[in-house]
Amino acid sequence: MNFSGPLRCTALALIVCFPLLSADKDKKPAKPKVNNEASAPTPSPNLIWPLPPDPPRIRWVTQYDDLTKVKKTIAKKQGLLEKLAGAKPAEEKLELVRPYGIVTDGRGRIYAADTELKLVWFIDPAAKIVEKRVGNSRVPLLLPIGLALDASGRLFVSDAQLHAVVVFSPQGEPIAHFGTSSLSRPGGIALDRQRNRLYVADAKDSRVVVFDTQGLKLVTTFGGPNKAGLPGNGTFFGPTNVALDRQGQLYVADTMNYRVVVLTPDGKFVRTFGMQGDRPGEFVRPKGIAVDSEGHIYVADAEFNNFQIFSQDGKPLLAVGSLGKDPGQFALIAGIHIDNEDQIYTTEMFYPRIQVFHYISQTGAAQGTGAASGKGGESH
């Protein structure tokens, strides 16, 4: 299905990209200059893209920035001395610092990797629960990047500093890690439940590494570094993220080649699109990548502070976002995930937060912008 209406991009400036292979950890770039005088963002339930008279395709739903507003308050028992002293119970600090990878389960619960805090946030908006998934002495977390969930609820976390993938039980306990002999700088990951395959983007080795999710064993690798800096159909340069569509086709954010590479589930080249530039359909620092139920491809660009939407053949359709901290704006966008209901989740590393959007299909558009009914205008 094609989007109706022209591509609407914000003004984009070509910016020299930061080093990729540091995985955004070693050196923190200067904070973007935005208006800091404004108070907390004011949610807008009618924030849509593109603007009328074109039919709406993307609607802003909500955001999560202060997780203490999500969690149900439970009174903490005080000891006698504390009561006599009039001391107030200490509140646990629940604050996103540098979120990157993001994924959700079938119940709308959110998992977000925090690279600075070395943990994964678990957020259940319906039950008002916020928890932390942390490593231990046997299975640590050092630099969590990519996230994926299997059908049983196991959480897979790629760790760029550990050079491995860590597995958490459905109850949130670290139970295994694998890939240390195969991975150099793992980034984004994607899990194919039908084939029991986990795809890992390895930025340092410029390849995609594939594991079996049952035995946690290496299956194969795709790609490899470019020769003489020339991008080929079967090679990469610093790929950072991967995504799967409903048919199991693989999409690779080939970041330092400024493009997206499409592969079959067994790694055969299908096509590529994108190039370096500041026009619609071009990239400077493509990072997170995701695919909706109708096959549209979403690519988050950390320099443009937006995500672009493409057709299956790589035609640019729409751009959402600009530099800022208001709803629908971004400051160093990193991860993007789309659930089975076409809810779009993004992370950003400055003014750290999670934003939620909704893709409005042709059916949803015919019924009005209420495709995300009951969820618009919330802020957490």
Side-chain angles (χ1 to χ4, degrees):
M1 184 201 75
N2 290 326
F3 284 63
S4 59
L7 171 70
R8 296 182 182 273
C9 261
T10 56
L12 304 178
L14 182 59
I15 308 171
V16 177
C17 71
F18 297 105
L20 166 74
L21 298 183
S22 65
D24 301 307
K25 168 72 165 58
D26 300 328
K27 186 176 181 181
K28 202 170 184 178
K31 189 169 285 191
K33 293 181 180 179
V34 301
N35 181 13
N36 288 318
E37 297 178 359
S39 58
T42 302
S44 172
N46 297 314
L47 193 57
I48 57 173
W49 293 263
L51 294 173
D54 297 319
R57 293 304 185 202
I58 301 295
R59 181 186 178 192
W60 186 85
V61 176
T62 189
Q63 67 181 20
Y64 300 93
D65 48 8
D66 183 356
L67 299 184
T68 59
K69 295 180 181 179
V70 179
K71 187 174 182 179
K72 184 187 298 181
T73 302
I74 301 176
K76 183 180 178 182
K77 292 184 179 180
Q78 291 180 283
L80 179 60
L81 293 178
E82 291 175 315
K83 289 181 179 180
L84 292 175
K88 295 182 179 180
E91 293 186 2
E92 184 182 9
K93 193 173 184 179
L94 301 174
E95 186 177 84
L96 295 165
V97 179
R98 284 178 68 80
Y100 193 121
I102 187 164
V103 71
T104 60
D105 63 17
R107 297 166 58 184
R109 301 181 300 184
I110 305 166
Y111 299 78
D114 197 311
T115 61
E116 184 75 17
L117 296 179
K118 303 179 181 181
L119 55 81
V120 176
W121 292 101
F122 169 81
I123 306 166
D124 187 337
K128 298 186 180 302
I129 294 172
V130 178
E131 296 176 350
K132 300 173 183 177
R133 303 289 189 256
V134 297
N136 56 32
S137 58
R138 297 186 62 193
V139 188
L141 276 186
L142 303 178
L143 186 57
I145 301 290
L147 302 179
L149 286 164
D150 70 6
S152 69
R154 289 186 304 170
L155 176 67
F156 292 76
V157 184
S158 65
D159 192 305
Q161 191 170 328
L162 192 64
H163 317 295
V165 177
V166 178
V167 185
F168 286 81
S169 71
Q171 293 74 37
E173 299 296 325
I175 54 176
H177 75 279
F178 61 93
T180 52
S181 61
S182 308
L183 297 168
S184 294
R185 197 77 174 186
I189 61 179
L191 194 147
D192 188 331
R193 295 182 179 180
Q194 182 179 353
R195 298 174 178 84
N196 296 316
R197 294 288 184 265
L198 183 73
Y199 299 88
V200 184
D202 193 324
K204 188 174 182 179
D205 287 345
S206 291
R207 62 180 184 171
V208 174
V209 186
V210 188
F211 296 93
D212 170 46
T213 57
Q214 294 181 325
L216 307 182
K217 301 294 185 182
L218 175 68
V219 175
T220 188
T221 63
F222 306 152
N226 299 333
K227 293 182 179 180
L230 299 175
N233 290 343
T235 61
F236 304 109
F237 184 13
T240 57
N241 291 271
V242 289
L244 295 166
D245 64 18
R246 271 53 173 182
Q247 291 71 46
Q249 196 162 236
L250 184 67
Y251 300 80
V252 182
D254 192 7
T255 301
M256 300 305 288
N257 280 328
Y258 316 103
R259 65 177 184 171
V260 172
V261 178
V262 186
L263 304 170
T264 65
D266 57 357
K268 294 180 180 178
F269 176 80
V270 177
R271 61 184 171 277
T272 184
F273 63 87
M275 60 184 295
Q276 185 178 20
D278 60 354
R279 297 178 299 178
E282 298 175 343
F283 304 113
V284 171
R285 203 179 183 199
K287 301 291 281 294
I289 188 167
V291 186
D292 68 23
S293 65
E294 296 181 356
H296 305 115
I297 306 155
Y298 297 61
V299 183
D301 196 303
E303 295 295 344
F304 291 163
N305 294 294
N306 70 3
F307 61 84
Q308 295 188 68
I309 307 173
F310 297 83
S311 65
Q312 270 289 307
D313 59 0
K315 176 184 177 183
L317 302 173
L318 185 68
V320 175
S322 60
L323 175 62
K325 61 179 180 179
D326 289 337
Q329 295 182 320
F330 302 101
L332 195 56
I333 186 173
I336 187 167
H337 164 73
I338 302 177
D339 68 15
N340 290 332
E341 302 299 323
D342 283 333
Q343 296 273 77
I344 305 156
Y345 298 79
T346 63
T347 60
E348 52 198 289
M349 299 180 114
F350 287 115
Y351 312 113
R353 60 179 170 173
I354 297 165
Q355 294 195 67
V356 187
F357 302 80
H358 188 82
Y359 166 63
I360 304 170
S361 67
Q362 191 170 32
T363 302
Q367 296 173 349
T369 58
S373 60
K375 298 181 181 179
E378 300 177 20
S379 183
H380 304 272

